[in-house]
Amino acid sequence: MNTSNNEGLMYKAAAGIIFVIIAALIILVSVSTIRHATGADETTADTTPLFAEHGAGNDEDSAETAVDTTAVSDVQTESIDNPDTTPAVTSPAVTAAPADYTPVAEPTKNSTDEWEKFLSEYPDTVLGSTDDAGPDYIGKIVFLGDSTTYGLRAYKMLDGGRDTTQVWTPASGTLTLSQVSFAKIVYPETGAELTIKEAAAAKQPEYLVITLGVNGVSFMDEEYFKSEYKKMIESIAEASPDTKIICQSMFPVARTYEHLNSINNDKIRAANHWIVEVANEVGVKFVDTYSVLCDSEGWLPEEYHNGDGMHLNSTSFTLELDNLRTHAYITE
């Protein structure tokens, strides 16, 4: 009789345990179904649209151009077509240059004998070959210029990427030499719009690389061009006397550039001569990057631009930065 009771109790206990297990499984399946339905364990895809870069932006003939989406699939959207809209800017954290970087080689140049002879006449102005100054040197430079400079930010070529504090351009993303005395750039540290002189006074940059003039060659003669360029440099030097100023050559355009009637390599090469002469007159430095970016016939190769025949892509920006690193402004 006692044996029968004990067996009954054992069956009841086993049945209870099985019930608890089944209930737990039902609860787990329900939770998993709910999480899947709400996407709780799915990774949200990046749907940020691509950045559309501003065109040449000269006073007479402006063109809208799109960035090569193959080269910059990770570039975020920002409108630079509305000069009244100041981009939202945040200051990036300061990142120390890596101690064990791989040195870069000096880029190959395609220079004419005439250009090399001309440069040789200004040994104290033209920056020559140096050992690789490294990424820490690039990190000390502020880049002032037009849409060909804005691309350094768009392609995330500098510390801070899209939030870099090293690029000075107007909110429109472009700048014309004839307007530099009154044009305002977006000061990255605050997002305020300042004149170039005001920004120089506020920042006191250690190095300033100026790449400017391509929009102006369509309508500025030598005297006008030189006068505006000289006034710009003198204004910056007055506001920030310890800044080491480097005037960078303008870059070539490609055979496929749409506006060769107004902006072409003959005009660009002539104006690069003017920039050297102004730099020599006011006592700042010049670096030749045109020769790094052109082919043997003086054109910007098709693989070096973003699709519009003028604006650089990440490949050619890398060559620009490598050229600066291997033609550094060295002071004793």
Side-chain angles (χ1 to χ4, degrees):
M1 186 71 175
N2 291 337
T3 300
S4 176
N5 287 339
N6 289 339
E7 289 178 352
L9 290 172
M10 290 176 61
Y11 289 142
K12 290 180 180 180
I17 292 171
I18 292 171
F19 176 79
V20 170
I21 292 172
I22 291 173
L25 289 173
I26 291 173
I27 292 171
L28 288 174
V29 170
S30 299
V31 170
S32 176
T33 301
I34 292 171
R35 285 178 60 85
H36 181 74
T38 58
D41 30 342
E42 295 295 327
T43 302
T44 302
D46 181 8
T47 57
T48 306
L50 296 173
F51 160 75
E53 185 174 299
H54 195 278
N58 67 67
D59 287 355
E60 300 176 346
D61 197 348
S62 242
E64 289 292 325
T65 58
V67 165
D68 177 5
T69 57
T70 302
V72 288
S73 59
D74 60 345
V75 174
Q76 300 174 3
T77 294
E78 174 175 335
S79 172
I80 62 169
D81 298 322
N82 182 1
D84 297 325
T85 302
T86 302
V89 179
T90 57
S91 298
V94 177
T95 304
D100 55 344
Y101 66 89
T102 302
V104 298
E106 181 177 342
T108 301
K109 291 189 174 183
N110 283 302
S111 300
T112 64
D113 292 341
E114 181 276 330
W115 178 238
E116 289 296 332
K117 182 178 183 299
F118 173 78
L119 293 180
S120 69
E121 296 172 3
Y122 301 91
D124 296 330
T125 299
V126 178
L127 293 173
S129 300
T130 64
D131 291 337
D132 177 20
D136 53 337
Y137 173 71
I138 297 298
K140 297 174 183 178
I141 298 174
V142 169
F143 294 83
L144 167 65
D146 50 32
S147 54
T148 61
T149 293
Y150 185 91
L152 288 166
R153 181 178 176 218
Y155 283 88
K156 304 180 182 179
M157 302 301 297
L158 302 169
D159 288 345
R162 296 279 296 177
D163 292 330
T164 185
T165 59
Q166 293 181 246
V167 174
W168 286 1
T169 66
S172 64
T174 194
L175 180 64
T176 300
L177 179 60
S178 61
Q179 301 172 356
V180 292
S181 61
F182 58 86
K184 293 188 175 183
I185 60 99
V186 177
Y187 188 61
E189 279 82 353
T190 63
E193 291 187 284
L194 306 177
T195 65
I196 295 169
K197 185 174 183 178
E198 289 170 339
K203 179 73 173 180
Q204 301 287 311
E206 184 170 352
Y207 296 91
L208 181 70
V209 168
I210 303 171
T211 314
L212 195 59
V214 70
N215 295 328
V217 300
S218 65
F219 64 95
M220 299 176 79
D221 62 16
E222 180 176 356
E223 181 180 0
Y224 187 13
F225 188 102
K226 284 183 170 180
S227 174
E228 293 301 309
Y229 210 106
K230 181 181 178 181
K231 285 191 292 186
M232 171 184 60
I233 295 173
E234 290 176 338
S235 175
I236 293 168
E238 181 182 354
S240 184
D242 293 330
T243 295
K244 302 172 186 67
I245 298 174
I246 303 170
C247 301
Q248 183 168 223
S249 65
M250 289 177 284
F251 308 145
V253 294
R255 291 174 177 83
T256 53
Y257 180 56
E258 184 179 359
H259 303 286
L260 290 175
N261 60 321
S262 59
I263 299 176
N264 54 60
N265 290 329
D266 288 340
K267 292 181 178 181
I268 291 171
R269 283 191 293 264
N272 280 338
H273 283 73
W274 305 340
I275 294 172
V276 174
E277 291 167 349
V278 171
N280 180 72
E281 182 180 351
V282 297
V284 299
K285 300 299 183 182
F286 173 86
V287 64
D288 172 28
T289 301
Y290 182 102
S291 301
V292 169
L293 297 177
C294 72
D295 62 19
S296 59
E297 296 181 348
W299 296 98
L300 181 70
E302 298 301 322
E303 63 270 22
Y304 283 3
H305 65 80
N306 73 352
D308 69 357
M310 172 184 278
H311 295 91
L312 306 186
N313 58 27
S314 58
T315 298
S316 43
F317 275 126
T318 297
L319 288 172
E320 177 198 1
L321 297 178
D322 288 354
N323 188 56
L324 291 172
R325 284 172 58 163
T326 54
H327 294 78
Y329 189 160
I330 305 298
T331 57
E332 300 297 335

